[in-house]
Amino acid sequence: MEVREILEQARDAVTVRRVYGKPIERGDVTVIPAAAVQGGGGGTGNATNGGGGDPGSGSGVGWGLRARPVGAYVVRDGKVRWQPALDLNRVIVGGQVVAVVALVTLRTWLKSRR
């Protein structure tokens, strides 16, 4: 696969279709899912061998894409409402951080009472 083909695929991957899903209609309600999409890539062309040896050739391309749901637009009776998604991983990590801080605080408080 050529570098140009990879870059074209990368460009096509980060489009509005990745951010907004297909509308889902049920009765008089339409739901349009939304996601946060991040992408990045890099590449190189010809290279030389380290140490000043004979010139070599090489190329490489890397690409990454991350998408996570953030919510949905809910359309009902001509009115649009934003409904955020619950990111359970953030809730769990937040609870763990609060628990650790509480335990360290409790430990410090108990040591100071002795």
Side-chain angles (χ1 to χ4, degrees), residues 55-70:
S57 65
S59 63
V61 174
W63 174 255
L65 182 67
R66 176 179 180 240
R68 63 179 181 84
V70 292

Side-chain angles (χ1 to χ4, degrees), residues 25-52:
E25 296 182 26
R26 297 287 187 263
D28 64 341
V29 178
T30 303
V31 177
I32 305 168
V37 178
Q38 299 170 325
T44 184
N46 292 335
T48 60
N49 294 333

